[in-house]
Amino acid sequence: MKYSTERILTTHAGALPLPADLKELHNARTAGTPVDEQAYSKRVSGAVADIVKKQIACGLDIINDGEQGKSNFSRYARDRLGGFIEREVKASDHTSTIYARDLTEFSDYFSARAYHRGDNVKRVFCNAPLKYTGHESLKAEIADFKAGLQGQKYAEAFLPAVAPGTIEHWMKNDYYPNDEAYLVAIADAMHEEYKAIADAGFLLQIDDPDLPDGWQFMSQMTVPEYRKYAELRVDALNHGLRDIPPDRVRFHTCWGSYHGPHKYDIPLRDIIDIILKVNANTISIEAANPRHEHEWRVWEEVKLPAGRVLVPGVVGHATDIVEHPQAIADRLVRYAKIVGRENVMAGTDCGLGPRVGSPQICWAKFEAMAEGARLATKELWGK
């Protein structure tokens, strides 16, 4: 685990652009269409090697594999877990809409953009004891990343994995007696993946957007009720992180990556203490978009625990505008003056690859972030 001891380090939140042909292969596999698995594996390996070089060329210090071997940051877990089925949604099933509170006020907006998929769709349900089955896929993921990193100069490397609470969002419980038992079962299964990543020498990044955006789809809850809901899911995550040193863990969270109003997102102030309970020494939080940029003020009230690193998003996925390096530097300096320059890294609101309009925009945002970090370094260190 690195600190910004001599300069502001740069990193990002995870998913990076997929080459068009690899995206087609992922789509085919997701749809159940047979593909040449040997050709697929070779293409993933090549894409990982390319994406490592691209991150370094853009000026990033702490890099990943771009999630080139995953069709989606959370959907990939369907291929690595056993104990679930897809079935039609019943009237009694609770749907998890991450814009449910916004939908009440902005129904015209969501209808015009065809956000609704309707109730008559297939969804994933746990119907048997959960178990981890992704050993071969994970082994290939780790091997591809190690191969791609060979001979490259970088500060540190991480691999993302999805949190139990976010898995629960898309895989509903039809088997376990209650939420607590179900979450523990997910955590036990995913522990194998978490530990394998850390044991391979990489930082483990936990992706958990549903910690904040669950507030939207649990739309009838009060803040005290939601805090209890969120605490249970953090407890499950920490159970999954057992035996993994916190300095080998990054925790990334955000308010959902959909483009929309986000008017009814839960404020960071209401859940920051719960986020800080995660056994991770690095905390990556969405901070650049217009709904949440002001929340740097939370850190004037809440002390960053000793030894922790804060990675605020200083470039965002909510706009295709490439942020000016000086605006990025201003954001970084603002955080550094509150929590200490050594405890701040430059990061992104979310994985930019699938969420901005073009790969060119993603790379331009990274280049701007690297330049902004250099400007911030000059202001903070005088060099």
Side-chain angles (χ1 to χ4, degrees):
M1 173 184 169
K2 300 289 185 181
Y3 294 87
S4 295
T5 51
E6 299 178 350
R7 61 184 177 87
I8 296 293
L9 296 173
T10 56
T11 187
H12 65 95
L16 298 179
L18 289 172
D21 62 325
L22 180 54
K23 186 182 294 185
E24 289 180 5
L25 287 171
H26 279 306
N27 290 340
R29 294 175 93 239
T30 299
T33 304
V35 301
D36 183 330
E37 290 298 324
Q38 187 173 1
Y40 167 78
S41 296
K42 184 177 180 180
R43 186 65 187 96
V44 170
S45 299
V48 170
D50 291 342
I51 214 77
V52 164
K53 294 174 185 175
K54 190 68 175 177
Q55 290 172 81
I56 295 169
C58 287
L60 296 182
D61 298 303
I62 300 169
I63 62 176
N64 77 337
D65 67 344
E67 303 188 41
Q68 300 296 289
K70 296 174 179 174
S71 60
N72 174 276
F73 87 95
S74 64
R75 189 187 300 122
Y76 83 93
R78 299 185 192 188
D79 299 325
R80 298 188 184 181
L81 291 173
F84 65 87
I85 58 168
E86 287 193 11
R87 66 161 172 77
E88 298 293 331
V89 175
K90 301 174 184 176
S92 59
D93 292 327
H94 176 73
T95 57
S96 297
T97 304
I98 64 171
Y99 48 84
R101 292 179 189 256
D102 281 346
L103 179 61
T104 301
E105 180 172 342
F106 300 103
S107 57
D108 291 348
Y109 170 88
F110 289 104
S111 295
R113 284 155 182 79
Y115 272 82
H116 282 300
R117 294 167 54 191
D119 293 329
N120 187 26
V121 295
K122 285 188 175 181
R123 298 222 173 117
V124 180
F125 294 83
C126 171
N127 70 332
L130 286 178
K131 60 182 178 179
Y132 190 76
T133 60
H135 304 91
E136 290 304 314
S137 295
L138 179 59
K139 182 179 178 181
E141 181 180 337
I142 290 170
D144 285 341
F145 195 27
K146 285 185 174 181
L149 290 170
Q150 283 191 351
Q152 303 300 321
K153 187 176 180 181
Y154 57 96
E156 217 160 9
F158 71 96
L159 281 176
V162 67
T166 294
I167 291 176
E168 179 199 25
H169 176 191
W170 58 259
M171 184 167 65
K172 299 305 181 185
N173 177 27
D174 266 359
Y175 179 81
Y176 290 91
N178 52 48
D179 287 355
E180 184 173 5
Y182 182 44
L183 287 160
V184 167
I186 300 175
D188 280 335
M190 291 302 293
H191 175 72
E192 296 190 45
E193 178 163 302
Y194 300 161
K195 195 164 189 315
I197 290 171
D199 287 349
F202 300 124
L203 293 176
L204 163 67
Q205 176 171 297
I206 296 294
D207 289 329
D208 196 9
D210 285 2
L211 185 60
D213 72 28
W215 166 255
Q216 286 265 6
F217 62 76
M218 303 304 290
S219 59
Q220 303 306 310
M221 285 187 175
T222 63
V223 170
E225 289 170 339
Y226 187 72
R227 283 177 54 83
K228 291 180 180 178
Y229 174 94
E231 285 174 343
L232 178 60
R233 280 133 190 91
V234 166
D235 288 345
L237 172 58
N238 284 338
H239 177 66
L241 292 174
R242 64 191 182 277
D243 306 324
I244 303 174
D247 66 354
R248 305 307 302 162
V249 184
R250 298 166 33 134
F251 179 75
H252 172 69
T253 194
C254 62
W255 283 263
S257 60
Y258 76 91
H259 289 205
H262 286 273
K263 181 177 177 180
Y264 295 100
D265 286 355
I266 193 166
L268 178 61
R269 181 177 285 105
D270 288 340
I271 57 171
I272 185 58
D273 58 321
I274 299 172
I275 290 172
L276 291 175
K277 289 180 180 178
V278 176
N279 291 333
N281 279 12
T282 301
I283 307 294
S284 165
I285 302 180
E286 183 174 0
N289 74 60
R291 192 68 200 176
H292 295 283
E293 184 174 5
H294 70 286
E295 290 183 318
W296 61 269
R297 295 177 180 274
V298 169
W299 300 102
E300 293 181 320
E301 307 166 12
V302 177
K303 183 175 176 57
L304 183 69
R308 296 285 186 98
V309 169
L310 180 62
V311 186
V314 291
V315 299
H317 63 279
T319 176
D320 287 345
I321 295 174
V322 178
E323 294 83 352
H324 194 283
Q326 188 60 60
I328 294 167
D330 290 347
R331 290 168 176 170
L332 290 167
V333 169
R334 195 159 55 203
Y335 277 97
K337 288 183 176 179
I338 298 172
V339 304
R341 62 188 186 181
E342 70 280 4
N343 301 319
V344 173
M345 287 184 192
T348 61
D349 276 357
C350 200
L352 296 187
R355 299 180 181 91
V356 294
S358 161
Q360 292 176 312
I361 292 172
C362 172
W363 304 126
K365 282 177 177 276
F366 283 162
E367 289 168 353
M369 182 169 68
E371 177 60 23
R374 287 190 286 270
L375 293 173
T377 294
K378 186 175 181 180
E379 182 170 347
L380 292 167
W381 276 267
K383 62 179 182 180

